[in-house]
Amino acid sequence: MGDGRRAGGGERRHITGRTAVRVLTVWAVSTLTLLVLAGLLPAFELQSADGDSLTRTALTAAWAAGAFGLLTALVWPLVVRALLLVPALVLGLLVFFLNGSLLLVALWIIPDGRGAADPETAVVVAAVMSAVASATSTALAVRDDDAYRRRLYRLTGRTRPRDPASVPAPPPGTVFLQLDGVGHEALRTAVADGLMPTVAARLEAGHRLTPWRTDWSSQTGASQLGILHGSNEDVPAFRWYEKDTGRLMVSNRPASAVELQRRAVRRTGDGGLLTLDGASRGNLFSGGADQVALVLTVAARRGRRNRSRAGYFTYFADPANAVRTAGSFVNEVAREVAQSTRARLRRETPRIRRGGTYPFVRAFATVIERDVVVAAVMGDMLAGRTAVYADLVAYDEVAHHSGPRGHDTDQVLRRLDRSLALIARVAEHAPRPYRIVLLSDHGQSPGETFAGAYGLTLKDLVRAGCGLPVPRRVGRTRSGAEARDAARDALRSALHRPVETGEETERELPARPSEPVVLASGNLGLVSFPDVPHRMTKEEIDRRHPALLRTLAQHPGIGFLLVASAEHGSVVLARDGVEVPVAELTDGGPLAVFGPGAADAVRRTDGFPHVADVMVNSMYDPATGTVHAFEEQIGSHGGLGGEQARPFLLAPPELSPAVPEGGELVGAEQVHRVLRRWLRESDGPQVPLERPAATPEPGGAPEPVPPSDPPGEWAVPGADH
């Protein structure tokens, strides 16, 4: 035992010695950097007014470098924690100011007042100092695995786990990385074009690439809710109006996300995919995870219970991270301005406006959120968490405004691939092996906007078809004029129509109808009449607005409509008077161009309690793969048509195939069951069978309710809808 203690003491002294050498080296390099900057920047002084010897100047620089290093280590984390309530976008912009302020303090405490700098110069010097110190420390640790691991633990805010030799080897953990908006075909193309070498290497190593088909609502809210919580029942679109509550539900609003997660938990009977020892990063929903960062359902909480913002502190607590990310943020804003200007000068089409706050929103999604989420995932792996699910939204945000293919999105895909490579490298230093699964929640379909192609929005067309006032510019368009004329002719006919009697008139309609609520979710539109408490039928809509359904169905920019019918249950309407009962719907007829599974997707949505009075899907051209978004997006998703409905799963070969050979993966709920199976194969978290239900805290998700499955089963109650 004495020999063991001596050996352990010798190892500790060896580590301490190496650490001291690194600290002294970083200090020396920082001192040299200050001397160089003092010689280059006229507004930065390290000498007295009368001048100093080189030795005296070097001592002053060493003092300043040491003081700045200590302040950075001790004060910076406290300042960042105090600013947790500041919006993340503002915090990113404050980074340079905070770092410069610490340098001014370091210069102020130099003896004899030999250090001085203008505030603007201090910002520059502090940024360079942080970058140089970080680069030097990293370079010194490259050949030292222990030092590299310690640096990773420090940067990600994690404490080192127990010595792996003292405990049995843990089973593999699983990291699910969602590349938001990257469709199956987009991934294959990026690999073929050499944009994503990390993904290419995985494919060459035998990882299985499996496409899957989304529900009709091909957007993150529906897909991620189904993937993480096992049910996306009654999510008809990204945004929709609920007549019974009078609420406008929007998937990326905190209050709506909390309600959607609550409904899913109640429906399935468990907390989600990540209930035990899980982490949720950058998602709309928590998946039942205890560890969260940048999760929308947690962001709805107030006060100390909002743990989602802690992810910012973990990342920005290191000033080198903060400076690098802030610099990348500014660079990304400039890149977007340059790219949008180039698109205007070249008169590229299709094109939408990209000014206002969008450059900052893009920079937040592609820089700040990416960096914070990646750092959080690294920390989760170093902490040995069993299951991690993280969403990287950069591609989706850029593709909406620049289109899913092109120079802008190519750059984003390259940077995403580098993030994947970094996560894979950190996994090598984790206390347990990790299986990294890549997946997406939907794809993107290109195309000119509906307004750009026809000169009016879906709302304008609906109002014209209802005979309601529309802007003068709309009346001058062909679509608007035709809709107005049709509404006028229908009204004249209605004035001479005999009074109808029969079963369909039993429910009285209001004498003074309200204006319709028209919402857009990519190329999926929803029309609701809020003054009618029930879902209106085709017959009721025709009596109130005789020209509306005909106007919509006949429009060349619209593929088909879904509407209830008193006679046929529900029907799909399309051009040339096509009317097919949903019960008889197949993948042929009006849905033929939308591909296999379209009929089932429409039929499922038709059964949702909150389906709109009229569901409108835009046209789809299979020759070009284009759709018309009802929003200002030239890369869109939300409905049927093209690549938006074909995301992917990319899993290591040691996991079982997602589907049997020749099978097809359909719907986010089926993806949820596949991921649960893979967690079980890795001895991952099991759904608790005997946990009593608890009353949820306000603003939070309820505790898991014991499912009815027998022990060892992984079926999700209520998932087979």
Side-chain angles (χ1 to χ4, degrees), residues 498-514:
V499 177
E500 296 182 12
T501 58
E503 184 177 336
E504 69 271 12
T505 62
E506 289 182 0
R507 293 184 292 189
E508 293 292 334
L509 297 180
R512 300 184 63 182
S514 65

Side-chain angles (χ1 to χ4, degrees), residues 81 148-162 277-281 289-293 307-308 310-315 317 321 372-388 426 429-431 434:
R81 186 176 291 278
Y148 183 68
R149 278 193 293 268
R150 285 195 298 273
R151 175 169 173 76
L152 290 176
Y153 282 116
R154 180 171 58 83
L155 291 179
T156 54
R158 302 292 180 184
T159 57
R160 188 169 182 168
R162 290 178 295 174
D277 194 29
S280 181
R281 311 300 189 184
D290 181 62
Q291 298 295 320
V292 293
R307 292 171 291 112
S308 184
Y312 290 115
F313 170 76
T314 300
Y315 184 78
N321 280 351
V372 173
V373 168
V374 169
V377 172
M378 290 163 51
D380 291 325
M381 291 190 298
L382 295 173
R385 303 214 175 278
T386 303
V388 182
V426 171
H429 297 267
Y434 273 97

Side-chain angles (χ1 to χ4, degrees), residues 466 509 527 529 535-549 562-564 613-614:
C466 292
L509 297 180
V527 183
F529 296 92
R535 182 184 179 189
M536 291 187 72
T537 64
K538 175 180 179 295
E539 294 79 6
E540 290 172 331
I541 295 173
D542 283 342
R543 286 199 303 274
R544 176 184 282 196
H545 302 297
L548 175 60
L549 295 179
L562 170 67
V563 63
D613 292 330
V614 185

